[in-house]
Structures are given as structure tokens and as C-alpha cells.
Amino acid sequence: MSHDHHHPYSDPADLGRAREVGALAPEEFAAWRAFQQAVDRGDGALPRRIRELLSIAVALTTQCSYCLDVHTAQARRHGVTEQELAEVVFVAAAVRAGGSLAHGLQAMKLYQAHSAAAAAP
């Protein structure tokens, strides 16, 4: 299978395909859009700029370049500074690293349990 390098997997133009995919699952797409609109509201306890910083942190963790595109634009529009963005990058990186350690603790416990099970008569 050859890959056409003229069509990268991650292309900002692909965001335009959301409506196309949504038309194939209209009920689900409408529900997703309503959920997104509720999350993007400006009258909640969390101001919009904080919501965008949270969205960026999650996008960094899930590694979604499309989310990063959309939410960095919104963050800038809602007053997020470059320094705040930089700090969010490292907060997300540290929490993700912590998650790896936490799962590593589980892996060690499971490994030891498997070792004990294998040694049992």
C-alpha cells in the first residue's frame, strides 16, 4: 500500500469534513454539537478563557492536532497569553507523565501477581 504524501493525515482543511461526516449520522452530530455549544458557553462558573486552556491541556494529552488548532485560536480570541499557553503545555506534560507513572505502578503490581500465580503449584 503506497501512501500519497500530497494528502497528509493531519490537514487543517479536514476540519471542514465534520459536516460531511455529521450528515451521515445527523442525530449523533446534533447531540455532539449541542454538547460542544454547552461546553463553549461564556456564562458558566468557568470563564471561556479557562475553558479554552482546559481544552488545550486535553488536546495536548490526547494528541489531537485539530483540537489544538481550534482551541488555540479560541484561546487567543478569549485573552489567553503566550505565557499561559506555555505553562499549560508543561502542566499537561507533567500530568501525562504522572499518569504513566501511576499506570507503571499498576503494571508492577500486575507483574508481581502474575509471577506469584506462575510460581503457585
Side-chain angles (χ1 to χ4, degrees):
M1 177 178 183
S2 75
H3 294 285
D4 184 350
H5 293 290
H6 297 289
H7 299 287
Y9 287 115
S10 188
D11 180 351
D14 285 344
L15 285 171
R17 294 177 183 266
R19 279 183 169 61
E20 182 182 320
V21 173
L24 296 169
E27 190 172 339
E28 292 84 351
F29 188 55
W32 177 81
R33 287 186 57 165
F35 187 26
Q36 190 63 52
Q37 287 169 353
V39 168
D40 287 344
R41 69 192 176 102
D43 61 350
L46 293 173
R48 184 67 189 271
R49 60 185 298 285
I50 298 299
R51 290 171 184 255
E52 293 305 333
L53 286 169
L54 287 166
S55 296
I56 290 167
V58 171
L60 290 166
T61 303
T62 61
Q63 305 281 286
C64 178
S65 57
Y66 302 115
C67 295
L68 286 174
D69 187 353
V70 169
H71 291 290
T72 56
Q74 289 296 325
R76 185 179 178 97
R77 202 169 290 129
H78 290 281
V80 169
T81 67
E82 281 186 277
Q83 183 178 1
E84 289 172 321
L85 177 59
E87 290 179 10
V88 163
V89 167
F90 288 102
V91 169
V95 172
R96 186 169 178 154
S100 294
L101 174 58
H103 280 95
L105 301 176
Q106 291 178 354
M108 187 62 68
K109 182 171 66 175
L110 291 165
Y111 179 88
Q112 292 166 351
H114 291 304
S115 297

